[in-house]
Amino acid sequence: MEAQQGSPMSMLIIFAIFGLIFYFMIYRPQAKRNKEHKALMESLAKGTEVLTAGGLIGKISKITEGSSEVVIQLNANSEVTINRNYIAAVLPKGSVKTL
């Protein structure tokens, strides 16, 4: 009995198919999310209403260029300092007042 071996060309085709699946299912969507998050971080400014990854909603009261931290005003009496990477979304103007 002789063990069957696939041709090298068929193995190459299988690896190419797996490579394409990896690219379109994993790498490309992750790269797109990273690009969107980077654009979000660059659009932050004082007065922007944001939602944090922890579920806090507030308005940016202090942001320093080159710093990784922002100060978010939750209401008239309380402020929180967080890492800017934990900002999940920018909310439309007036969202904080409606809550």
Side-chain angles (χ1 to χ4, degrees):
M1 291 193 170
E2 194 176 308
Q4 286 197 343
Q5 293 181 345
S7 70
M9 189 58 120
S10 66
M11 289 297 286
L12 188 62
I13 291 172
I14 289 173
F15 282 133
I17 290 171
F18 280 124
L20 288 172
I21 290 171
F22 175 78
Y23 176 76
F24 284 108
M25 299 284 291
I26 297 171
Y27 179 75
R28 191 169 178 233
Q30 184 64 36
K32 185 177 178 183
R33 280 191 294 272
N34 288 344
K35 185 178 178 182
E36 290 171 353
H37 191 263
K38 186 176 179 182
L40 174 76
M41 293 298 111
E42 291 173 357
S43 72
L44 297 178
K46 185 176 178 178
T48 304
E49 297 176 4
V50 294
L51 169 68
T52 68
L56 297 175
I57 296 175
K59 189 181 291 188
I60 295 178
S61 62
K62 182 180 176 188
I63 187 167
T64 306
E65 285 298 319
S67 173
S68 64
E69 296 177 345
V70 294
V71 178
I72 297 177
Q73 181 180 14
L74 301 175
N75 57 31
N77 301 326
S78 60
E79 291 184 337
V80 177
T81 302
I82 66 163
N83 189 306
R84 71 170 43 188
N85 289 330
Y86 289 101
I87 295 176
V90 174
L91 301 174
K93 284 274 188 202
S95 296
V96 174
K97 291 179 182 178
T98 61
L99 297 176

Coordinates of all heavy atoms in Angstrom, one line a residue:
M1 N 0.8 -1.2 0.0 CA 0.0 0.0 0.0 C 0.9 1.2 0.0 O 1.8 1.3 0.8 CB -0.9 0.0 1.2 CG -1.9 -1.0 1.2 SD -3.0 -0.5 2.6 CE -4.3 -1.6 2.3
E2 N 0.5 2.2 -0.8 CA 1.2 3.4 -1.0 C 0.5 4.5 -0.4 O -0.7 4.7 -0.6 CB 1.5 3.6 -2.4 CG 2.5 4.6 -2.7 CD 2.8 4.7 -4.2 OE1 3.0 3.6 -4.9 OE2 2.7 5.8 -4.8
A3 N 1.1 5.4 0.4 CA 0.4 6.5 1.0 C 0.3 7.6 -0.1 O 1.2 7.9 -0.8 CB 1.3 7.1 2.2
Q4 N -0.9 8.1 -0.1 CA -1.2 9.1 -1.1 C -0.7 10.5 -0.6 O -1.0 10.9 0.5 CB -2.7 9.2 -1.4 CG -3.2 8.0 -2.3 CD -4.5 8.3 -2.9 OE1 -5.2 9.2 -2.5 NE2 -4.9 7.6 -3.9
Q5 N -0.1 11.2 -1.5 CA 0.3 12.6 -1.2 C -0.4 13.5 -2.2 O -0.5 13.2 -3.4 CB 1.8 12.7 -1.3 CG 2.6 11.9 -0.3 CD 4.1 12.1 -0.5 OE1 4.5 12.6 -1.5 NE2 4.8 11.7 0.5
G6 N -0.8 14.7 -1.7 CA -1.4 15.7 -2.5 C -0.3 16.4 -3.3 O 0.8 16.4 -2.9
S7 N -0.7 16.9 -4.4 CA 0.3 17.6 -5.2 C 0.7 18.9 -4.5 O -0.2 19.5 -3.8 CB -0.2 17.9 -6.6 OG -1.2 18.8 -6.6
P8 N 1.9 19.4 -4.7 CA 2.3 20.7 -4.1 C 1.4 21.9 -4.5 O 1.1 22.8 -3.7 CB 3.7 20.9 -4.5 CG 4.2 19.6 -5.0 CD 3.0 18.8 -5.4
M9 N 0.9 21.8 -5.7 CA 0.0 22.9 -6.2 C -1.3 22.9 -5.5 O -1.8 24.0 -5.2 CB -0.2 22.7 -7.7 CG -0.9 23.9 -8.3 SD 0.1 25.4 -8.1 CE 0.4 25.8 -9.7
S10 N -1.9 21.8 -5.2 CA -3.2 21.8 -4.4 C -3.0 22.3 -3.0 O -3.8 23.0 -2.5 CB -3.8 20.4 -4.4 OG -3.0 19.5 -3.7
M11 N -1.8 22.0 -2.4 CA -1.5 22.5 -1.0 C -1.4 24.0 -1.1 O -1.9 24.7 -0.2 CB -0.3 21.9 -0.5 CG -0.4 20.4 -0.1 SD -1.6 20.2 1.2 CE -0.7 20.7 2.6
L12 N -0.8 24.5 -2.1 CA -0.6 25.9 -2.3 C -1.9 26.6 -2.4 O -2.2 27.7 -1.9 CB 0.3 26.2 -3.5 CG 0.8 27.7 -3.7 CD1 1.6 28.1 -2.5 CD2 1.6 27.8 -4.9
I13 N -2.8 26.0 -3.2 CA -4.1 26.6 -3.4 C -4.9 26.6 -2.1 O -5.6 27.6 -1.7 CB -4.9 25.8 -4.5 CG1 -4.2 26.1 -5.9 CG2 -6.4 26.2 -4.5 CD1 -4.8 25.2 -7.0
I14 N -4.8 25.6 -1.3 CA -5.5 25.5 0.0 C -5.0 26.6 0.9 O -5.8 27.3 1.6 CB -5.4 24.1 0.6 CG1 -6.2 23.1 -0.2 CG2 -5.8 24.1 2.1 CD1 -6.0 21.7 0.2
F15 N -3.6 26.8 1.0 CA -3.1 27.8 1.8 C -3.5 29.2 1.4 O -3.8 30.1 2.2 CB -1.5 27.7 1.8 CG -1.0 26.7 2.7 CD1 0.0 25.8 2.3 CD2 -1.5 26.5 4.0 CE1 0.4 24.8 3.1 CE2 -1.0 25.5 4.9 CZ 0.0 24.7 4.4
A16 N -3.6 29.4 0.1 CA -4.1 30.7 -0.5 C -5.5 31.0 -0.1 O -5.9 32.1 0.3 CB -3.9 30.7 -2.0
I17 N -6.4 29.9 -0.1 CA -7.8 30.1 0.3 C -7.9 30.4 1.7 O -8.6 31.4 2.1 CB -8.6 28.8 -0.1 CG1 -8.7 28.7 -1.6 CG2 -9.9 28.9 0.6 CD1 -9.3 27.4 -2.1
F18 N -7.1 29.7 2.6 CA -7.1 30.1 4.0 C -6.6 31.5 4.3 O -7.1 32.2 5.2 CB -6.3 29.0 4.8 CG -7.1 27.8 5.1 CD1 -6.6 26.6 4.7 CD2 -8.3 27.8 5.8 CE1 -7.3 25.4 5.0 CE2 -9.0 26.7 6.0 CZ -8.5 25.4 5.6
G19 N -5.6 31.9 3.5 CA -5.1 33.2 3.7 C -6.1 34.3 3.3 O -6.2 35.3 4.0
L20 N -6.9 34.1 2.3 CA -7.9 35.0 1.9 C -9.0 35.0 2.9 O -9.6 36.1 3.3 CB -8.5 34.6 0.5 CG -7.6 34.9 -0.7 CD1 -8.2 34.3 -2.0 CD2 -7.4 36.4 -0.8
I21 N -9.4 33.9 3.4 CA -10.4 33.8 4.5 C -9.9 34.6 5.7 O -10.7 35.4 6.3 CB -10.8 32.4 4.9 CG1 -11.5 31.7 3.7 CG2 -11.6 32.3 6.1 CD1 -11.7 30.2 3.9
F22 N -8.7 34.4 6.1 CA -8.1 35.1 7.3 C -8.2 36.6 7.0 O -8.6 37.4 7.9 CB -6.7 34.7 7.5 CG -6.0 35.4 8.6 CD1 -6.2 35.2 9.9 CD2 -5.1 36.4 8.3 CE1 -5.6 35.9 10.9 CE2 -4.5 37.2 9.2 CZ -4.7 36.9 10.6
Y23 N -7.8 37.1 5.8 CA -7.7 38.5 5.5 C -9.1 39.1 5.6 O -9.3 40.1 6.2 CB -7.1 38.7 4.1 CG -7.1 40.1 3.7 CD1 -6.2 41.0 4.2 CD2 -8.1 40.6 2.8 CE1 -6.2 42.4 3.9 CE2 -8.1 41.9 2.4 CZ -7.2 42.8 3.0 OH -7.2 44.1 2.6
F24 N -10.1 38.5 4.9 CA -11.4 39.1 4.8 C -12.3 38.9 6.1 O -13.2 39.7 6.4 CB -12.2 38.6 3.6 CG -11.7 39.2 2.3 CD1 -11.0 38.4 1.4 CD2 -12.0 40.5 2.0 CE1 -10.5 39.0 0.3 CE2 -11.5 41.1 0.8 CZ -10.8 40.3 0.0
M25 N -12.0 37.9 6.9 CA -12.8 37.6 8.1 C -12.2 38.2 9.3 O -13.0 38.6 10.3 CB -13.0 36.1 8.3 CG -13.7 35.4 7.1 SD -15.5 35.7 7.1 CE -16.0 34.8 8.6
I26 N -10.9 38.4 9.4 CA -10.3 38.8 10.6 C -9.5 40.1 10.5 O -9.8 41.1 11.2 CB -9.3 37.7 11.2 CG1 -10.2 36.5 11.5 CG2 -8.6 38.2 12.4 CD1 -9.4 35.2 11.8
Y27 N -8.5 40.2 9.6 CA -7.6 41.3 9.5 C -8.3 42.6 9.0 O -8.2 43.6 9.6 CB -6.4 41.0 8.6 CG -5.5 42.1 8.5 CD1 -4.6 42.5 9.5 CD2 -5.5 42.9 7.3 CE1 -3.8 43.6 9.4 CE2 -4.7 44.0 7.2 CZ -3.8 44.3 8.3 OH -3.0 45.4 8.2
R28 N -9.1 42.5 7.9 CA -9.7 43.7 7.3 C -10.7 44.3 8.3 O -10.6 45.6 8.4 CB -10.3 43.3 6.0 CG -10.7 44.5 5.2 CD -11.1 44.0 3.8 NE -11.5 45.1 3.0 CZ -12.6 45.2 2.3 NH1 -13.4 44.1 2.3 NH2 -13.0 46.2 1.6
P29 N -11.6 43.6 8.9 CA -12.6 44.3 9.8 C -11.9 44.9 11.0 O -12.2 46.0 11.4 CB -13.5 43.1 10.2 CG -13.4 42.1 9.2 CD -12.0 42.2 8.7
Q30 N -10.8 44.3 11.5 CA -10.1 44.8 12.7 C -9.4 46.1 12.3 O -9.4 47.1 13.0 CB -9.1 43.8 13.2 CG -8.4 44.3 14.5 CD -9.3 44.5 15.6 OE1 -10.3 43.8 15.8 NE2 -9.0 45.5 16.4
A31 N -8.8 46.1 11.1 CA -8.1 47.3 10.6 C -9.1 48.5 10.4 O -8.8 49.6 10.7 CB -7.3 47.0 9.3
K32 N -10.3 48.1 10.0 CA -11.3 49.2 9.8 C -11.7 49.7 11.1 O -11.9 51.0 11.3 CB -12.5 48.6 9.0 CG -13.5 49.6 8.7 CD -14.7 48.9 7.9 CE -15.8 49.9 7.6 NZ -16.9 49.3 6.9
R33 N -11.9 48.9 12.1 CA -12.3 49.4 13.5 C -11.2 50.2 14.1 O -11.5 51.3 14.7 CB -12.6 48.2 14.4 CG -14.0 47.6 14.2 CD -14.3 46.6 15.3 NE -13.5 45.4 15.3 CZ -13.7 44.3 14.6 NH1 -14.8 44.3 13.9 NH2 -12.9 43.3 14.7
N34 N -9.9 49.8 13.9 CA -8.8 50.6 14.4 C -8.8 52.0 13.7 O -8.5 53.0 14.4 CB -7.5 49.9 14.2 CG -7.3 48.7 15.1 OD1 -8.0 48.6 16.1 ND2 -6.4 47.9 14.7
K35 N -9.0 52.1 12.4 CA -9.0 53.3 11.7 C -10.2 54.2 12.2 O -10.0 55.4 12.4 CB -9.2 53.1 10.2 CG -9.1 54.3 9.3 CD -9.2 53.9 7.9 CE -9.1 55.1 7.0 NZ -9.3 54.8 5.6
E36 N -11.3 53.7 12.4 CA -12.5 54.5 12.9 C -12.2 55.0 14.3 O -12.5 56.1 14.6 CB -13.7 53.6 12.9 CG -14.3 53.3 11.5 CD -15.4 52.3 11.5 OE1 -15.7 51.7 12.6 OE2 -16.0 52.1 10.4
H37 N -11.6 54.2 15.2 CA -11.3 54.6 16.6 C -10.2 55.7 16.6 O -10.4 56.6 17.3 CB -10.8 53.4 17.4 CG -10.8 53.7 18.8 ND1 -9.6 54.0 19.5 CD2 -11.7 53.7 19.8 CE1 -9.9 54.3 20.7 NE2 -11.2 54.1 21.0
K38 N -9.3 55.6 15.7 CA -8.2 56.6 15.6 C -8.9 58.0 15.2 O -8.5 59.0 15.7 CB -7.2 56.2 14.6 CG -6.0 57.2 14.6 CD -4.9 56.7 13.6 CE -3.8 57.7 13.6 NZ -2.7 57.3 12.7
A39 N -9.8 57.9 14.2 CA -10.5 59.1 13.7 C -11.3 59.7 14.9 O -11.4 60.9 15.1 CB -11.4 58.8 12.5
L40 N -11.9 58.8 15.7 CA -12.7 59.3 16.8 C -11.8 60.0 17.8 O -12.2 61.1 18.3 CB -13.4 58.1 17.5 CG -14.1 58.4 18.8 CD1 -15.5 59.1 18.5 CD2 -14.4 57.1 19.5
M41 N -10.7 59.4 18.1 CA -9.7 60.0 19.1 C -9.3 61.4 18.6 O -9.1 62.3 19.4 CB -8.5 59.1 19.3 CG -8.8 57.8 20.0 SD -9.5 58.1 21.7 CE -11.2 57.6 21.5
E42 N -9.1 61.6 17.3 CA -8.6 62.8 16.8 C -9.7 63.9 16.7 O -9.4 65.1 16.7 CB -8.0 62.6 15.4 CG -6.8 61.8 15.3 CD -6.3 61.5 13.9 OE1 -7.0 61.8 13.0 OE2 -5.2 60.9 13.8
S43 N -11.0 63.5 16.8 CA -12.1 64.4 16.7 C -12.5 64.9 18.1 O -13.3 65.8 18.2 CB -13.3 63.8 16.0 OG -13.9 62.8 16.9
L44 N -11.9 64.4 19.1 CA -12.3 64.9 20.5 C -11.8 66.3 20.7 O -10.7 66.7 20.4 CB -11.6 64.0 21.5 CG -12.1 62.5 21.5 CD1 -11.3 61.7 22.6 CD2 -13.5 62.4 21.7
A45 N -12.7 67.1 21.4 CA -12.4 68.5 21.7 C -13.2 68.8 22.9 O -14.2 68.1 23.3 CB -12.8 69.4 20.5
K46 N -12.9 69.9 23.6 CA -13.6 70.4 24.7 C -15.1 70.6 24.4 O -15.4 71.2 23.3 CB -13.0 71.7 25.3 CG -13.6 72.2 26.6 CD -12.8 73.4 27.1 CE -13.5 73.8 28.4 NZ -12.8 75.0 28.9
G47 N -16.0 70.2 25.2 CA -17.4 70.4 24.9 C -18.0 69.2 24.2 O -19.3 69.2 24.1
T48 N -17.3 68.3 23.7 CA -17.8 67.1 23.0 C -18.5 66.2 24.0 O -17.9 65.9 25.1 CB -16.7 66.3 22.3 OG1 -16.0 67.2 21.4 CG2 -17.2 65.2 21.5
E49 N -19.7 65.7 23.7 CA -20.4 64.8 24.6 C -20.0 63.4 24.2 O -20.1 63.0 23.0 CB -21.9 65.0 24.5 CG -22.3 66.4 24.9 CD -23.7 66.8 24.8 OE1 -24.5 65.9 24.3 OE2 -24.1 67.9 25.1
V50 N -19.6 62.6 25.2 CA -19.1 61.2 24.9 C -19.7 60.2 25.8 O -20.3 60.5 26.8 CB -17.5 61.2 25.1 CG1 -16.8 62.1 24.1 CG2 -17.2 61.6 26.5
L51 N -19.6 58.9 25.3 CA -19.9 57.7 26.1 C -18.7 56.9 26.3 O -17.9 56.7 25.3 CB -20.9 56.9 25.3 CG -21.3 55.5 25.8 CD1 -22.0 55.6 27.1 CD2 -22.0 54.7 24.8
T52 N -18.4 56.6 27.5 CA -17.2 55.8 27.8 C -17.5 54.3 27.8 O -18.7 53.9 27.8 CB -16.6 56.1 29.2 OG1 -17.6 55.6 30.2 CG2 -16.4 57.6 29.4
A53 N -16.4 53.5 27.7 CA -16.6 52.1 27.7 C -17.2 51.5 29.0 O -17.9 50.5 29.0 CB -15.2 51.4 27.5
G54 N -17.1 52.3 30.1 CA -17.8 51.9 31.3 C -19.2 52.3 31.4 O -19.8 52.0 32.4
G55 N -19.7 53.0 30.4 CA -21.1 53.4 30.4 C -21.4 54.8 31.0 O -22.5 55.2 31.1
L56 N -20.3 55.6 31.3 CA -20.5 57.0 31.7 C -20.8 57.9 30.6 O -20.1 57.7 29.5 CB -19.3 57.4 32.5 CG -18.9 56.7 33.8 CD1 -17.6 57.2 34.3 CD2 -20.0 56.9 34.8
I57 N -21.7 58.8 30.7 CA -22.0 59.8 29.7 C -21.7 61.1 30.3 O -22.1 61.5 31.4 CB -23.5 59.7 29.3 CG1 -23.8 58.3 28.6 CG2 -23.8 60.8 28.3 CD1 -25.2 58.1 28.3
G58 N -21.0 61.9 29.5 CA -20.6 63.3 30.0 C -20.1 64.1 28.9 O -20.0 63.7 27.7
K59 N -19.6 65.3 29.3 CA -19.1 66.3 28.4 C -17.6 66.5 28.7 O -17.2 66.6 29.9 CB -19.8 67.6 28.5 CG -19.5 68.6 27.5 CD -20.3 69.9 27.7 CE -21.8 69.7 27.4 NZ -22.6 70.9 27.5
I60 N -16.8 66.5 27.7 CA -15.3 66.7 27.9 C -15.1 68.2 28.4 O -15.5 69.1 27.7 CB -14.5 66.5 26.6 CG1 -14.6 65.0 26.2 CG2 -13.0 66.9 26.8 CD1 -13.9 64.6 25.0
S61 N -14.5 68.3 29.6 CA -14.3 69.6 30.1 C -12.8 70.0 30.0 O -12.5 71.2 30.1 CB -14.7 69.7 31.6 OG -14.0 68.8 32.4
K62 N -11.9 69.1 29.9 CA -10.5 69.4 29.8 C -9.8 68.3 28.9 O -10.0 67.1 29.2 CB -9.8 69.5 31.1 CG -8.4 69.8 31.1 CD -7.8 69.9 32.4 CE -6.3 70.2 32.4 NZ -5.6 70.1 33.7
I63 N -9.1 68.7 27.9 CA -8.4 67.7 27.1 C -7.0 68.4 26.8 O -7.0 69.6 26.4 CB -9.2 67.3 25.8 CG1 -8.4 66.2 25.1 CG2 -9.4 68.5 24.9 CD1 -9.3 65.6 24.0
T64 N -6.0 67.7 26.9 CA -4.6 68.2 26.7 C -4.0 67.4 25.5 O -4.0 66.2 25.5 CB -3.7 68.0 27.9 OG1 -4.4 68.6 29.1 CG2 -2.4 68.7 27.8
E65 N -3.5 68.1 24.5 CA -2.9 67.5 23.4 C -1.6 66.8 23.9 O -0.9 67.3 24.7 CB -2.4 68.6 22.4 CG -3.6 69.1 21.6 CD -4.3 68.0 20.7 OE1 -3.7 67.2 20.2 OE2 -5.6 68.1 20.7
G66 N -1.4 65.6 23.4 CA -0.3 64.8 23.8 C -0.5 64.0 25.0 O 0.3 63.1 25.4
S67 N -1.5 64.3 25.8 CA -1.8 63.5 27.0 C -2.8 62.4 26.7 O -3.6 62.5 25.8 CB -2.4 64.5 28.0 OG -2.9 63.7 29.1
S68 N -2.7 61.3 27.4 CA -3.6 60.2 27.2 C -4.8 60.3 28.1 O -5.7 59.4 28.1 CB -2.9 58.9 27.4 OG -2.5 58.8 28.8
E69 N -5.0 61.4 28.8 CA -6.1 61.5 29.7 C -7.0 62.7 29.4 O -6.5 63.7 28.8 CB -5.6 61.7 31.2 CG -4.9 60.5 31.7 CD -4.3 60.6 33.1 OE1 -4.3 61.8 33.5 OE2 -3.9 59.6 33.7
V70 N -8.3 62.5 29.6 CA -9.3 63.6 29.5 C -10.1 63.7 30.7 O -10.3 62.7 31.4 CB -10.2 63.3 28.2 CG1 -9.5 63.4 26.9 CG2 -11.0 62.1 28.4
V71 N -10.6 64.9 31.0 CA -11.5 65.1 32.1 C -12.9 65.2 31.6 O -13.2 66.0 30.7 CB -11.1 66.3 32.9 CG1 -12.1 66.6 34.1 CG2 -9.7 66.2 33.4
I72 N -13.8 64.4 32.1 CA -15.2 64.4 31.7 C -16.1 64.9 32.8 O -16.0 64.4 33.9 CB -15.7 63.0 31.2 CG1 -14.9 62.5 30.1 CG2 -17.2 63.0 30.9 CD1 -15.2 61.1 29.6
Q73 N -16.9 65.9 32.5 CA -17.9 66.4 33.4 C -19.2 65.6 33.3 O -19.8 65.6 32.3 CB -18.1 67.9 33.2 CG -19.1 68.6 34.1 CD -19.3 70.0 33.8 OE1 -18.9 70.5 32.7 NE2 -19.9 70.7 34.7
L74 N -19.5 64.9 34.4 CA -20.7 64.1 34.4 C -21.9 64.9 34.7 O -23.0 64.7 34.2 CB -20.5 63.0 35.5 CG -19.3 62.1 35.2 CD1 -19.2 61.1 36.4 CD2 -19.4 61.4 33.9
N75 N -21.8 65.9 35.7 CA -22.9 66.8 36.0 C -22.2 68.1 36.5 O -21.0 68.2 36.4 CB -23.9 66.2 37.0 CG -23.3 65.8 38.3 OD1 -22.3 66.4 38.7 ND2 -23.9 64.8 38.9
A76 N -23.0 69.0 37.1 CA -22.5 70.3 37.5 C -21.5 70.1 38.6 O -20.6 71.0 38.8 CB -23.6 71.2 37.9
N77 N -21.5 69.0 39.4 CA -20.7 68.9 40.6 C -19.6 67.9 40.5 O -18.7 67.8 41.3 CB -21.5 68.5 41.8 CG -22.6 69.6 42.0 OD1 -22.4 70.8 41.8 ND2 -23.8 69.1 42.5
S78 N -19.6 67.0 39.5 CA -18.6 65.9 39.4 C -17.9 65.8 38.1 O -18.5 65.9 37.0 CB -19.3 64.6 39.8 OG -20.3 64.3 38.9
E79 N -16.6 65.5 38.2 CA -15.8 65.3 37.0 C -15.0 64.0 37.2 O -14.7 63.6 38.3 CB -14.8 66.4 36.8 CG -15.5 67.7 36.4 CD -14.5 68.8 36.1 OE1 -13.4 68.8 36.6 OE2 -14.9 69.7 35.3
V80 N -14.7 63.3 36.1 CA -13.9 62.1 36.2 C -12.8 62.2 35.2 O -13.0 62.7 34.0 CB -14.8 60.9 35.8 CG1 -14.0 59.6 35.7 CG2 -16.0 60.8 36.7
T81 N -11.6 61.7 35.6 CA -10.4 61.7 34.7 C -10.3 60.3 34.2 O -10.2 59.3 35.0 CB -9.2 62.1 35.4 OG1 -9.3 63.4 35.9 CG2 -8.0 62.1 34.4
I82 N -10.3 60.1 32.8 CA -10.2 58.8 32.3 C -9.1 58.8 31.1 O -8.8 59.8 30.6 CB -11.5 58.2 31.7 CG1 -12.0 59.0 30.5 CG2 -12.6 58.1 32.8 CD1 -13.0 58.4 29.7
N83 N -8.7 57.6 30.8 CA -7.8 57.4 29.6 C -8.6 57.6 28.4 O -9.7 57.1 28.3 CB -7.2 56.0 29.7 CG -6.1 55.9 28.6 OD1 -6.3 56.1 27.5 ND2 -4.9 55.4 29.1
R84 N -8.1 58.4 27.4 CA -8.9 58.7 26.2 C -9.2 57.5 25.4 O -10.2 57.5 24.6 CB -8.3 59.8 25.4 CG -7.0 59.4 24.7 CD -6.5 60.5 23.7 NE -6.6 61.8 24.2 CZ -6.4 62.9 23.4 NH1 -6.0 62.7 22.2 NH2 -6.5 64.1 23.9
N85 N -8.5 56.4 25.5 CA -8.8 55.2 24.8 C -10.1 54.5 25.2 O -10.6 53.6 24.6 CB -7.6 54.2 24.9 CG -6.4 54.6 24.1 OD1 -6.5 55.3 23.1 ND2 -5.3 54.3 24.6
Y86 N -10.6 54.9 26.4 CA -11.8 54.3 26.9 C -13.1 55.1 26.5 O -14.2 54.8 26.9 CB -11.8 54.1 28.4 CG -10.8 53.1 28.9 CD1 -9.5 53.4 29.3 CD2 -11.2 51.7 28.7 CE1 -8.7 52.4 29.7 CE2 -10.3 50.7 29.1 CZ -9.0 51.0 29.6 OH -8.2 50.0 29.9
I87 N -12.9 56.0 25.6 CA -14.1 56.7 25.0 C -14.6 55.8 23.9 O -13.9 55.6 23.0 CB -13.7 58.1 24.6 CG1 -13.3 59.0 25.8 CG2 -14.9 58.7 23.8 CD1 -12.9 60.4 25.4
A88 N -15.8 55.4 24.0 CA -16.4 54.4 23.1 C -17.1 55.1 21.9 O -17.1 54.6 20.8 CB -17.4 53.5 23.8
A89 N -17.7 56.3 22.2 CA -18.5 56.9 21.1 C -18.7 58.4 21.4 O -18.6 58.8 22.6 CB -19.9 56.3 21.0
V90 N -18.8 59.2 20.4 CA -19.2 60.6 20.5 C -20.7 60.7 20.3 O -21.2 60.2 19.3 CB -18.4 61.4 19.4 CG1 -18.9 62.9 19.4 CG2 -16.9 61.4 19.7
L91 N -21.3 61.4 21.2 CA -22.8 61.5 21.2 C -23.2 62.8 20.5 O -22.4 63.8 20.4 CB -23.4 61.5 22.6 CG -23.0 60.2 23.4 CD1 -23.5 60.4 24.8 CD2 -23.7 59.0 22.8
P92 N -24.4 62.9 19.9 CA -24.9 64.1 19.3 C -25.0 65.2 20.3 O -25.3 64.9 21.5 CB -26.2 63.7 18.7 CG -26.3 62.3 18.7 CD -25.3 61.8 19.8
K93 N -24.8 66.4 19.9 CA -25.0 67.6 20.8 C -26.3 67.6 21.5 O -27.3 67.3 20.8 CB -24.8 68.9 20.1 CG -23.4 69.2 19.7 CD -22.7 69.9 20.9 CE -21.4 70.4 20.4 NZ -20.5 70.6 21.5
G94 N -26.4 67.9 22.8 CA -27.6 67.9 23.5 C -28.1 66.6 24.1 O -29.1 66.5 24.8
S95 N -27.3 65.5 23.9 CA -27.6 64.2 24.5 C -27.6 64.2 26.0 O -28.4 63.6 26.7 CB -26.7 63.1 24.0 OG -26.8 63.0 22.6
V96 N -26.6 64.9 26.6 CA -26.5 64.9 28.0 C -27.7 65.7 28.7 O -28.2 65.3 29.7 CB -25.2 65.6 28.4 CG1 -25.0 65.8 29.9 CG2 -24.0 64.8 27.9
K97 N -28.2 66.7 28.1 CA -29.3 67.5 28.6 C -30.6 66.7 28.6 O -31.4 66.9 29.5 CB -29.5 68.8 27.9 CG -28.4 69.8 28.1 CD -28.6 71.0 27.3 CE -27.4 72.0 27.5 NZ -27.6 73.2 26.7
T98 N -30.7 65.8 27.7 CA -32.0 65.0 27.6 C -32.1 63.9 28.6 O -33.1 63.3 28.8 CB -32.2 64.4 26.2 OG1 -31.1 63.5 25.9 CG2 -32.2 65.5 25.1
L99 N -30.9 63.6 29.3 CA -30.9 62.5 30.2 C -31.4 62.9 31.6 O -31.3 63.8 32.1 CB -29.5 61.9 30.3 CG -29.0 61.2 29.1 CD1 -27.6 60.8 29.2 CD2 -29.9 60.1 28.7

